[in-house]
């Protein structure tokens, strides 16, 4: 029976391949290698420190430290998949935190009724959310309409936001929040820190959005080829505005967790996280040129980095040595992936060559 169905167009075939990759059904970069590395690192540190490292306290400590960096890394991953970059994530989170901190410290007097405290906490959270929403919409609009690389646009917004924050606060720290608000960053539910549970929930939501929704597929398509995506009928400007708005909203969640855990806010917090978020994203398999990236890979990369940091910290190593080890880990994983890709391409080329030779036998083979 002859198949009369029309052959899929190249664009449809590419979209189908991209969708399978994002949903984990393709041959994309799997986090299994990072999981094996994580198990190896845990085993190594457990052998070196059998009484201190493999304990519930160490696990809880890592779960308390991971969420802020994890949420900021998520905020960086979405622009990266769209072939962009958001250098303003730290500045946005800090300014949002300062705004919320200002409202709470000025409006809530000591000894206020719980209802009044709850009301002003809600007002502060709403103000911080709206602030991040406006920053994200403005940044996305500039990226979508200026025709300038996102690095330059977000470098400008980062400078503006940082400058305003430092000017208004004179670089000072705002501290002293209600106990009810601090509980967000310090509570433990069934042995698991609340910030870690919030991070897991947000990461799962972002993973679903990026892999199961038309918006997520459009983000990856823009990262692969902006012009082709535009000609395929996707409103690329609207998607780009959505990318930077979503990134900025994730900064709001990170700001809330940082405030609640540190009981303070400052324009200078988490500045060292900016490049680490890019490192974690690339280590987790996000293509730095855009077009592909999985949240599961990013989460596994964050766990690996946190295990290295906690292990070296318990060994008494210098913090700068931790940064160096992180860099070595990134280069090592990139080298292994490069070699694995080259070997796979060589096997594929050899298989194609054998198939061609079998379908076109030489005159000697025919006889």
């Amino acid at each position: 029976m002859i198949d009369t169905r029309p052959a899929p167009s190249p664009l449809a075939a590419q979209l189908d391949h991209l969708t399978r990759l994002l949903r984990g059904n393709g041959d994309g970069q799997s986090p299994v290698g990072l999981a094996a590395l994580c198990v190896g690192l845990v085993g190594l540190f457990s052998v070196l420190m059998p009484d201190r490292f493999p304990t519930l306290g160490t696990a809880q400590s890592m779960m308390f430290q991971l969420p802020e960096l994890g949420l900021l890394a998520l905020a960086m991953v979405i622009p990266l998949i769209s072939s962009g970059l958001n250098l303003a994530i730290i500045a946005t989170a800090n300014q949002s935190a300062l705004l919320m901190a200002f409202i709470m410290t000025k409006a809530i007097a000591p000894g206020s009724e719980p209802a009044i405290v709850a009301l002003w906490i809600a007002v502060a959270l709403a103000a911080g959310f709206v602030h991040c929403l406006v920053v994200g919409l403005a940044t996305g609009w500039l990226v979508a309409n200026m025709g300038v690389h996102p690095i330059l646009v977000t470098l400008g917004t980062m400078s503006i936001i940082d400058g305003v924050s430092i000017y208004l606060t004179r670089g000072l720290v705002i501290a002293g929040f209600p106990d009810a608000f601090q509980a967000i960053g310090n509570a433990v539910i069934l042995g698991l820190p609340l910030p870690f549970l919030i991070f897991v929930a947000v990461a799962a939501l972002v993973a679903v959005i990026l892999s199961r929704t038309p918006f997520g597929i459009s983000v990856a398509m823009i990262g692969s080829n902006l012009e082709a995506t535009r000609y395929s009928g996707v409103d690329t400007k609207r998607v780009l505005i959505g990318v930077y708005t979503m990134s900025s909203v994730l900064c709001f969640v990170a700001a809330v967790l940082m405030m609640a855990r540190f009981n303070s806010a400052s324009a200078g917090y988490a500045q060292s996280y900016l490049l680490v978020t890019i490192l974690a994203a690339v280590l987790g398999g996000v293509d730095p040129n855009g077009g592909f990236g999985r949240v599961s890979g990013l989460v596994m990369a964050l766990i690996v980095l946190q295990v290295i940091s906690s292990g070296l910290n318990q060994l008494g190593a210098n913090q700068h040595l931790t940064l160096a080890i992180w860099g070595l880990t990134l280069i090592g994983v990139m080298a292994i992936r490069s070699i694995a890709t080259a070997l796979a391409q060589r096997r594929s080329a050899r298989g194609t060559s054998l198939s061609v030779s079998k379908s076109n036998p030489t005159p000697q083979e025919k006889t």
Side-chain angles (χ1 to χ4, degrees), residues 119-142:
L119 173 65
W120 281 111
I121 289 176
V123 170
L125 291 174
F129 179 80
V130 171
H131 169 270
C132 287
L133 194 65
V134 171
V135 170
L137 287 170
T139 304
W141 187 88
L142 291 172

Side-chain angles (χ1 to χ4, degrees), residues 3-93:
D3 187 359
T4 58
R5 291 176 298 180
S9 65
L11 181 60
Q14 185 180 9
L15 179 59
D16 179 64
H17 178 64
L18 185 61
T19 305
R20 286 189 293 108
L21 282 179
L22 292 172
R23 293 179 178 176
N25 302 325
D27 54 353
Q29 297 178 12
S30 168
V32 174
L34 283 175
L37 176 61
C38 183
V39 171
L41 287 168
V42 171
L44 175 65
F45 286 123
S46 298
V47 170
L48 294 175
M49 299 171 288
D51 298 331
R52 285 184 292 164
F53 191 79
T55 63
L56 178 61
T58 300
Q60 284 187 332
S61 174
M62 287 193 285
M63 285 188 281
F64 268 116
Q65 296 173 32
L66 190 143
E68 294 104 10
L69 176 60
L71 289 165
L72 292 170
L74 284 172
M76 182 64 81
V77 158
I78 303 170
L80 270 176
I81 294 175
S82 71
S83 191
L85 202 66
N86 188 357
L87 295 177
I89 55 172
I90 307 297
T92 302

Side-chain angles (χ1 to χ4, degrees), residues 7 12 30-31 58 79 92 97 111 130 152 156-157 169 182 196 218 271 289 326 328 330-331 333 337 364:
S30 168
T58 300
T92 302
V130 171
L152 299 177
T157 54
T169 64
Q182 293 183 52
F196 182 75
S218 299
Q271 293 294 337
N289 297 313
W326 283 358
L328 283 173
L330 175 63
I331 292 173
V333 171
R337 284 176 180 165
Q364 292 78 5

Side-chain angles (χ1 to χ4, degrees), residues 293-318:
R294 286 189 196 143
V295 173
S296 59
L298 172 68
V299 172
M300 188 51 65
L302 288 166
I303 294 173
V304 168
L305 295 178
Q306 188 60 57
V307 168
I308 294 174
S309 175
S310 298
L312 292 177
N313 184 48
Q314 290 193 5
L315 285 172
N318 188 286

Side-chain angles (χ1 to χ4, degrees), residues 167-234:
Y167 173 77
L168 292 178
T169 64
R170 301 294 188 266
L172 299 176
V173 173
I174 301 178
F177 308 136
D179 293 340
F181 182 77
Q182 293 183 52
I184 299 173
N186 300 291
V188 176
I189 300 175
L190 299 175
L192 298 174
L194 180 58
F196 182 75
L197 295 176
I198 293 174
F199 166 67
V200 171
V202 173
L205 178 62
V206 173
V208 170
I209 291 174
L210 290 180
S211 62
R212 302 285 176 179
T213 66
F215 171 78
I217 304 299
S218 299
V219 172
M221 289 175 65
I222 288 175
S224 297
N225 192 319
L226 175 62
E227 292 303 320
T229 306
R230 180 180 294 131
Y231 285 120
S232 69
V234 176

